[in-house]
């Protein structure tokens, strides 16, 4: 049976682990040829190997999403490899340091901004340029967060950057809707990934405290976000654009 992104070329950033790896595997399962991109080459190649082992098609291209030259070249190399680009999942992100605003360093604020927000801007910019050059429909999804919709104590720099992702998503959706380019975001709640493990390691009390706020009684797992991102990229979501889809086990319903 054909998958929901059968024959499409999909690009996933931050795909060396966590949510990005799960999404890359789901894109491949659903029939896409996948460009796995990340800063980390070894773990990125591992994602490629997992996809190939399961019978899919994938290739690794290294890219730092905060650098315009890297992102432009990522899109160009994707087209060199697979002939076109149909879907992009802009997922690379960092947690930075969690502090109150008056203790947040300028470096921490800049780091969050560069990777989490400017990285998404650069990806959208060069992906849209490619869709327009191909004169074809395209679908872009970026990973925001529930921290892109509500405030969160001790996470001002991250919250600001993720709110920026939601704003970029709405604007891009409006600018390119008539070109058949759909632009959406996913807003994960708390998901068990290497990022979350790092945060719990740095602050052991955090895990129980956060679990107490989960209506479903557990944290999410990466495929629960990947499934949403791939669906938003698929033609099944053909009337969905400018949307920031919450996938959080009910956390923001309270
Ligand atoms: P992760 O740390 O497991 O994965 C993030 C990936 O991004 C890593 O492989 C890392 O190497 C890559 N990356 C970091 N900086 C990069 C850069 N400059 N260029 C290219 N790649 C880079 O984290 P995750 O939890 O899987 O996070 C994925 C996305 O989901 C992030 O945008 C994160 O902010 C977001 N998110 C995560 C959660 C959560 O609870 N885990 C919740 C909401 C949103």
């Amino acid at each position: 049976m054909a998958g929901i992104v059968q024959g499409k070329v999909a690009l996933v950033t931050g795909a060396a682990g966590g949510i990005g790896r799960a999404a890359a595997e789901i894109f491949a399962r659903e029939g896409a040829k996948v460009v796995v991109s990340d800063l980390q080459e070894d773990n990125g190649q591992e994602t490629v190997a997992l996809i190939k082992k399961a019978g899919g098609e994938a290739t690794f291209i290294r890219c730092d999403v905060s650098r315009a030259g890297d992102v432009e070249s990522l899109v160009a190399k994707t087209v060199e490899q697979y002939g076109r680009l149909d879907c992009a999942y802009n997922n690379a992100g960092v947690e930075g340091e969690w502090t109150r605003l008056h203790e947040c360093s300028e470096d921490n604020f800049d780091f969050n901004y560069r990777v989490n927000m400017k990285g998404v801007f650069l990806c959208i910019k060069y992906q849209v340029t490619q869709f327009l050059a191909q004169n074809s429909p395209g679908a872009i999804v970026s990973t925001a967060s529930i921290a892109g919709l509500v405030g969160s104590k001790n996470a001002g720099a991250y919250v600001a950057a993720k709110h920026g992702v939601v704003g970029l998503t709405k604007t891009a959706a409006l600018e390119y809707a008539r070109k058949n380019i759909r632009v959406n975001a996913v807003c994960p709640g708390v998901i068990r990934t290497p990022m979350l493990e790092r945060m719990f390691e740095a602050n052991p009390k955090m895990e129980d405290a956060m679990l107490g706020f989960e209506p479903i009684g557990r944290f999410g797992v990466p495929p629960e976000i990947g499934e949403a991102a791939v669906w938003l990229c698929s033609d099944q979501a053909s009337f969905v654009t400018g949307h920031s889809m919450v996938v959080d086990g009910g956390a923001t319903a309270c």
Side-chain angles (χ1 to χ4, degrees):
M1 204 175 70
I4 62 172
V5 286
Q6 194 68 43
K8 293 188 191 280
V9 177
L11 163 59
V12 184
T13 70
I19 292 168
R21 172 176 286 175
E25 290 183 284
I26 295 164
F27 269 114
R29 182 197 77 199
E30 293 299 325
K33 295 172 198 147
V34 186
V35 170
V36 169
S37 183
D38 205 285
L39 274 179
Q40 302 182 51
E41 169 130 29
D42 287 357
N43 290 341
Q45 293 289 8
E46 205 175 284
T47 303
V48 169
L50 287 167
I51 289 173
K52 289 192 168 163
K53 197 169 164 208
E57 170 58 37
T59 237
F60 177 80
I61 300 174
R62 190 183 180 282
C63 167
D64 178 344
V65 296
S66 69
R67 300 169 70 98
D70 271 30
V71 179
E72 185 174 19
S73 138
L74 169 64
V75 172
K77 285 179 185 164
T78 298
V79 174
E80 229 172 86
Q81 175 76 19
Y82 291 126
R84 55 185 296 108
L85 176 69
D86 299 299
C87 319
Y89 180 29
N90 303 323
N91 164 77
V94 290
E95 67 275 31
E97 288 164 21
W98 285 44
T99 64
R100 291 182 293 175
L101 277 171
H102 78 280
E103 292 163 331
C104 175
S105 67
E106 189 179 353
D107 280 353
N108 185 42
F109 192 88
D110 287 346
F111 180 51
N112 264 282
Y113 163 75
R114 271 200 325 275
V115 181
N116 291 337
M117 186 171 149
K118 186 178 130 191
V120 168
F121 156 68
L122 291 171
C123 286
I124 291 176
K125 173 180 164 77
Y126 290 108
Q127 290 153 3
V128 165
T129 302
Q130 178 58 30
F131 294 147
L132 295 175
Q134 285 172 193
N135 198 19
S136 73
I140 297 173
V141 175
S142 303
T143 305
S145 168
I146 54 173
L149 302 171
V150 296
S152 176
K153 284 182 199 164
N154 298 319
Y158 185 83
V159 165
K162 292 298 187 179
H163 273 70
V165 172
V166 171
L168 283 169
T169 298
K170 289 177 183 168
T171 301
L174 294 175
E175 286 183 357
Y176 305 108
R178 294 290 175 106
K179 295 287 181 188
N180 273 324
I181 298 169
R182 294 184 301 102
V183 187
N184 292 292
V186 279
C187 295
V190 183
I191 311 300
R192 276 231 172 254
T193 65
M195 180 185 281
L196 193 70
E197 300 305 338
R198 283 192 299 274
M199 290 166 64
F200 288 164
E201 232 173 78
N203 187 351
K205 286 191 184 148
M206 205 178 193
E207 180 164 359
D208 283 347
M210 286 169 91
L211 200 52
F213 284 109
E214 292 293 340
I216 284 188
R218 65 170 176 86
F219 299 131
V221 291
E224 290 175 315
I225 306 304
E227 296 285 356
V230 174
W231 180 80
L232 284 168
C233 277
S234 78
D235 294 342
Q236 296 194 341
S238 51
F239 203 53
V240 184
T241 195
H243 181 52
S244 292
M245 180 185 280
V246 172
V247 185
D248 71 347
T252 49
C254 330

